[in-house]
Amino acid sequence: MSNADFTAADHAFMARALQLAQRGLYTTTPNPRVGCLIVRDGEVVGEGWHARAGEAHAEVLALHAAGARARGATAYVTLEPCAHHGRTPPCAEAVIAAGIARVVAAMRDPNPLVAGRGLDMLRGVGIETACGVLEHEARELNIGFVSRMTRGRPWLRLKAAASLDGKTALDNGTSQWITGPDARRDGHAWRARACAILTGIGTVRDDDPQLTVRDVDTPRQPLRVVVDSRLETPPSARILDGARNGAPVLIACASEDAARAAALRARGAELLVLPNAAGKVELPALFGELARRGINEVHAEAGLKLNGSLLREDCVDELLLYLAPCLIGDAAQGLFNLPALESLDQRRRLDILDLRRIGDDIRIRARLA
């Protein structure tokens, strides 16, 4: 069906299902965020949303809430019901058993194990199906899951804060704080929705950050990843705090010095050796490994060198840029270490998704065109 074929009620009910799915924003990794509504005679008789991997899926919870009223009803689900056995039985089977008459999905499941099979299973037993209402919104909610399933890598969102003249730090490395508390709190909300937070050894050495989520409530801390080719992370670094207690740390390096490695492992860090021909960390291989670990979204907060490397190696999908109303001047560090261009035709073009004021600062969300 095209969007023109969906009714106003279809849009309204799917919008509510997406609100439910949003509740799993910080918790569903590696699973997608999914919400479900059971509607009978225009009345919502059951709601559900997926909270954590291994727990009941949204459809099962909504069907349980609806009980006998599910028979003959319509199910609105933000992602095609699964048709395979994972940690839980297939949701398509539960929908069939409950006697649902119609299923409206926002989007097909990009997981190759599903990829249309759930809707096919439902149609095969005579259930009316439709797909595509509020598809863009559903895809955006699970953009990391879609990326991992279709590209074999997580979605990388690169966050940076700068003055209006594009400077992120003074020459002596001082960078805290360019932006105000509202922008920093907003940045923590983006950290919280990510599965992993990425930084480089330069940031660890200069700023000694924790890179945890602190300014917003979250039930879990993302994996923290440090790109550190020569294992220069000090064992005393604050990023290692809590590595054994719910805030894991992965250090990607190009070679493993035995003494340094032992000291970092003693602090709870996991080491991953991924060298490239230049003796640096092979960044695409790192993101491939993160995808294999079920990481859907990566939030990068690094310095101009790693930022530049991530852009040069086409690892960046989205930019999250905070601009403070100040000027720092030439004697300062910039946003990206990129080679000089010979022509403006070589410039990297961006699509601006969103531009808004956050406190005293401006936030720009953009994607590589």
Side-chain angles (χ1 to χ4, degrees):
M1 295 177 67
S2 69
N3 277 322
D5 297 320
F6 291 109
T7 66
D10 288 334
H11 281 84
F13 289 132
M14 188 60 75
R16 173 56 183 165
L18 284 165
Q19 288 179 341
L20 293 171
Q22 188 89 11
R23 296 182 182 180
L25 191 65
Y26 303 155
T27 59
T28 62
T29 302
N31 289 355
R33 299 141 181 160
V34 182
C36 180
L37 238 61
I38 308 299
V39 178
R40 183 169 179 174
D41 298 327
E43 178 188 358
V44 176
V45 295
E47 293 184 341
W49 56 280
H50 183 50
R52 291 174 182 82
E55 296 184 7
H57 287 191
E59 299 95 318
V60 172
L61 292 171
L63 290 169
H64 179 76
R69 293 175 295 178
R71 187 161 297 278
T74 295
Y76 291 89
V77 60
T78 59
L79 189 70
E80 172 189 4
C82 61
H84 69 291
H85 284 268
R87 299 187 191 183
T88 58
C91 290
E93 291 183 359
V95 169
I96 293 169
I100 290 290
R102 178 179 182 237
V103 172
V104 180
M107 61 177 288
R108 290 182 182 273
D109 192 332
N111 186 341
L113 295 174
V114 184
R117 293 185 181 90
L119 293 174
D120 288 344
M121 180 185 294
L122 299 175
R123 283 192 291 266
V125 297
I127 296 175
E128 180 187 349
T129 66
C131 186
V133 62
L134 298 185
E135 180 175 3
H136 173 76
E137 291 81 355
R139 186 172 295 274
E140 286 295 309
L141 183 61
N142 283 309
I143 196 158
F145 180 76
V146 172
S147 175
R148 183 165 67 87
M149 289 294 147
T150 59
R151 304 188 302 172
R153 74 184 217 202
W155 183 264
L156 176 60
R157 186 177 292 112
L158 194 159
K159 178 257 184 183
S163 61
L164 281 182
D165 52 349
K167 306 302 180 180
T168 63
L170 303 181
D171 266 353
N172 62 12
T174 301
S175 64
Q176 297 177 336
W177 299 98
I178 289 178
T179 54
D182 292 331
R184 295 198 295 274
R185 190 175 302 111
D186 186 71
H188 275 247
W190 287 97
R191 281 186 186 181
R193 71 168 282 166
C195 313
I197 302 172
L198 178 82
T199 195
I201 180 58
T203 299
V204 170
R205 186 174 50 238
D206 295 341
D207 296 344
D208 195 20
Q210 293 173 270
L211 283 190
T212 52
V213 180
R214 299 182 300 280
D215 287 354
V216 298
D217 290 332
T218 180
R220 64 100 172 95
Q221 289 292 340
L223 170 70
R224 292 171 291 172
V225 182
V226 181
V227 177
D228 180 7
S229 297
R230 295 190 293 270
L231 279 189
E232 297 174 310
T233 300
S236 60
R238 293 200 304 162
I239 200 168
L240 298 172
D241 294 345
R244 296 189 184 279
N245 300 306
V249 177
L250 174 68
I251 299 179
C253 56
S255 61
E256 190 175 304
D257 177 275
R260 293 177 181 177
L264 293 170
R265 287 194 177 105
R267 287 277 275 132
E270 178 187 356
L271 271 55
L272 182 65
V273 183
L274 292 171
N276 64 13
K280 304 289 186 180
V281 172
E282 179 67 30
L283 293 173
L286 171 60
F287 291 111
E289 174 60 25
L290 292 177
R292 285 189 289 274
R293 295 178 180 219
I295 299 296
N296 292 327
E297 292 184 25
V298 176
H299 176 93
E301 295 191 24
L304 80 166
K305 289 184 179 179
L306 182 54
N307 286 349
S309 296
L310 291 168
L311 279 169
R312 286 195 304 273
E313 299 194 39
D314 294 322
C315 296
V316 178
D317 296 301
E318 185 173 318
L319 295 176
L320 189 65
L321 179 61
Y322 297 85
L323 295 177
C326 65
L327 302 173
I328 294 179
D330 290 338
Q333 298 178 19
L335 285 163
F336 308 105
N337 182 18
L338 292 171
L341 303 181
E342 297 179 357
S343 165
L344 283 176
D345 292 336
Q346 297 173 304
R347 68 190 186 274
R348 290 176 178 264
R349 296 182 181 274
L350 303 173
D351 289 330
I352 304 296
L353 303 181
D354 181 70
L355 190 154
R356 67 182 65 191
R357 182 167 177 168
I358 306 288
D360 292 331
D361 305 304
I362 295 171
R363 189 192 74 191
I364 300 171
R365 281 183 61 215
R367 290 186 183 161
L368 278 294

